[in-house]
Amino acid sequence: MRKKRLFWGVLLAMTVGLSGCAGGPAYTVVDGVMLGTTLHVVADVRGVTAQELHAAILELDREAKASMSIYDEGSLLSRLNRNETDSIDRHIAFNLRLADSIGALSDGRYDVTVKPLVEAWGFAGKEAAAHPNVDSILTFVGRDKVHVEGNRLVKADPRVQLDFNSVAKGYTVDLLAALVERYGAENYIVDIGGEVRCRGVNREGNPWRIGVETPFDGNMSDGDYLQKRIQLRDGALATSGNYRRYYLDAAGKKVAHTIDPRTGRSALSRLLSVTVAAPTCAEADALGTMFLAMGADDALAAVERMPGVAVYFILAGDGDAYEEYLSPAMEPLVMP
């Protein structure tokens, strides 16, 4: 399982500043890097300078990576995966609970024990195996093979490993939103690598606007190709897709980073992009991965069973055309 990108006009170099409109709140702006990707914050914080806010964000970045990163060998999650400890912290406990709730909706398509499969296919900081032994790996993949007792992680098989890449970024966006709210922000947008949470209004007094990229293979542009613009006053948005992180194997077959934990192979279908609006970015992040892993038909059927879910699907149509689906809850959020 993995992802995506929305566009919000972020800068790669860290900049900080203040802006506001006449008679409106003054907004503090912080642009930089967080979780190894782009960071963008616009917030009407009070009693803190842009530099102080940036320092607090960097501390949050360190905390999140020290807990949940699969790329940092010294993180708590990496040590859990190597069976060097069985103690979990509040971040890992939260994400396990959320994974259970989303997994219950997914018919096995959303499962955070997928790491050995993701790694075998070359999407977890390791080179892909020439011929992944999928059947062997599947014997120690499954959320039922791990549970929590108190603050301890208990594995049924020591080879079980966790991967929170389908939720950790969204969860950290929520932590970042909580951070700016502690500094008094009532109007803000926070964005880590295209995953967004916002509240209130922008400088012009309008809802925050977020663009959803056109999902053609290899689209690495920074918002040059947008399919839709969505406006939010309160909530979160995340998009999942297989058009950025993929490769072609020796036979020329596409291998994408979203893995179906039931089959152990890439979840490829005509569903190209999934955008979810939700109260929290962790929920939007996880649901986006779940729907993408389900594939077009099952994802559309699942939405029918989930009244109130706000989703925007982009599907492959005839030739180079796209088909689009908006759930009733998403329709009011899409800009004309």
Side-chain angles (χ1 to χ4, degrees), residues 16-331:
V16 293
L18 294 170
S19 61
C21 57
Y27 287 84
T28 298
V29 181
V30 176
D31 286 299
V33 175
M34 190 171 187
L35 302 183
T37 186
T38 52
L39 163 74
H40 185 65
V41 176
V42 181
D44 61 345
V45 293
R46 297 188 291 274
V48 61
T49 68
Q51 289 74 18
E52 289 169 338
L53 178 59
H54 182 244
I57 292 170
L58 290 181
E59 182 56 37
L60 178 59
D61 180 49
R62 286 189 287 269
E63 179 182 340
K65 289 188 290 192
S67 172
M68 299 174 287
S69 174
I70 63 169
Y71 303 106
D72 182 349
E73 292 295 323
S75 74
L76 177 57
L77 185 58
S78 293
R79 290 185 285 120
L80 284 163
N81 284 338
R82 294 194 301 267
N83 302 304
E84 295 173 359
T85 183
D86 62 1
S87 297
I88 63 173
D89 64 7
R90 66 184 182 96
H91 305 306
I92 290 172
F94 177 93
N95 283 293
L96 282 169
R97 289 193 298 270
L98 180 62
D100 285 346
S101 64
I102 301 299
L105 305 172
S106 73
D107 191 27
R109 261 72 70 92
Y110 185 83
D111 191 324
V112 293
T113 67
V114 76
K115 182 179 183 294
L117 290 165
V118 175
E119 186 173 286
W121 289 110
F123 295 109
K126 308 286 185 181
E127 287 193 17
H131 302 286
N133 190 337
V134 170
D135 290 339
S136 175
I137 296 172
L138 284 172
T139 63
F140 52 93
V141 170
R143 183 64 183 85
D144 60 334
K145 295 177 173 63
V146 62
H147 68 277
V148 174
E149 293 181 1
N151 66 344
R152 295 177 53 246
L153 188 73
V154 180
K155 299 181 182 181
D157 186 314
R159 296 173 296 176
V160 173
Q161 296 184 57
L162 302 173
D163 180 346
F164 291 137
N165 277 2
S166 60
V167 65
K169 190 191 296 182
Y171 172 69
T172 306
V173 170
D174 293 331
L175 296 178
L176 182 54
L179 175 66
V180 299
E181 288 185 7
R182 286 199 298 273
Y183 284 116
E186 297 180 353
N187 302 278
Y188 63 81
I189 187 165
V190 296
D191 174 340
I192 302 175
E195 298 191 11
V196 172
R197 184 159 171 174
C198 59
R199 179 181 174 188
V201 295
N202 62 17
R203 297 178 184 91
E204 291 75 37
N206 297 316
W208 298 99
R209 294 168 291 180
I210 306 103
V212 180
E213 289 183 335
T214 305
F216 58 84
D217 280 355
N219 181 5
M220 303 298 289
S221 69
D222 282 332
D224 294 336
Y225 304 92
L226 297 180
Q227 199 71 12
K228 281 278 189 293
R229 287 178 173 82
I230 293 172
Q231 56 186 4
L232 284 177
R233 285 184 181 270
D234 188 11
L237 202 72
T239 293
S240 296
N242 282 322
Y243 56 94
R244 281 180 176 247
R245 295 187 61 202
Y246 72 93
Y247 62 88
L248 301 179
D249 65 14
K253 184 178 179 181
K254 184 176 181 179
V255 179
H257 68 274
T258 304
I259 306 297
D260 185 338
R262 304 170 311 161
T263 66
R265 301 182 184 279
S266 292
L268 296 174
S269 75
R270 70 188 191 96
L271 182 56
L272 306 177
S273 173
V274 176
T275 298
V276 180
T280 71
C281 202
E283 294 172 84
D285 198 358
L287 284 169
T289 299
M290 181 195 80
F291 286 126
L292 192 67
M294 283 182 162
D297 293 341
D298 287 349
L300 288 166
V303 170
E304 293 296 319
R305 299 191 300 269
M306 301 170 64
V309 68
V311 299
Y312 167 46
F313 292 167
I314 305 175
L315 305 98
D318 294 333
D320 294 330
Y322 296 113
E323 296 178 10
E324 298 178 321
Y325 169 79
L326 289 166
S327 70
M330 181 65 90
E331 288 179 355

Side-chain angles (χ1 to χ4, degrees), residues 10-23:
V10 291
L11 302 175
L12 294 179
M14 194 285 289
T15 62
V16 293
L18 294 170
S19 61
C21 57

